[in-house]
Amino acid sequence: MAKAIMAQAFPERPTQMTAQHISRLAQVLNDLGFESRVEMHGAILTIISENCPILSVAKLYHQLICQTFHNELLKQGLGNKAPVLNDCMALGDPFCKHVIRMEGQS
């Protein structure tokens, strides 16, 4: 499902993560209800989501929703760069924060 969502949003997978691509990724996440913003500090990309459109399900099935679906959604949108979930609303944090090391970019 995550792959299909991002394939529709990004028909051509980019080889470099441009500011335009990252901005589009944030818009896709917002369209899905995540209320996301992105921050770039050097080669570290941080995606902060202040809403979870499926929070009640995520609280029951954290591994499936947060560690699998949400992470895979981001991974697909970032050209297979693996996100690390540092904060999670389903576990009581005020937001979800994913950190991605964007190697070879600054």
Side-chain angles (χ1 to χ4, degrees):
M1 181 181 219
K3 188 173 186 175
I5 290 168
M6 286 303 171
Q8 184 176 3
F10 301 103
E12 295 182 26
R13 180 169 274 179
T15 56
Q16 287 282 337
M17 292 296 111
T18 63
Q20 181 181 8
H21 179 86
I22 292 169
S23 177
R24 174 74 179 122
L25 175 60
Q27 184 59 52
V28 169
L29 294 171
N30 289 336
D31 290 348
L32 293 171
F34 285 99
E35 296 180 16
S36 297
R37 70 179 189 279
V38 295
E39 298 173 359
M40 191 80 176
H41 301 284
I44 304 297
L45 173 68
T46 303
I47 300 174
I48 298 170
S49 301
E50 297 190 33
N51 185 55
C52 177
I54 51 176
L55 183 59
S56 59
V57 177
K59 286 180 178 179
L60 295 172
Y61 302 102
H62 171 261
Q63 186 67 31
L64 177 65
I65 300 300
C66 307
Q67 296 292 342
T68 304
F69 175 72
H70 198 177
N71 275 3
E72 186 63 23
L73 190 65
L74 295 175
K75 183 178 174 184
Q76 291 297 319
L78 293 166
N80 283 327
K81 295 190 183 323
V84 175
L85 180 61
N86 285 356
D87 297 284
C88 182
M89 294 176 68
L91 298 178
D93 292 313
F95 49 78
C96 294
K97 180 167 74 172
H98 289 85
V99 178
I100 303 96
R101 179 143 186 83
M102 305 297 286
E103 296 172 10
Q105 301 192 200
S106 55

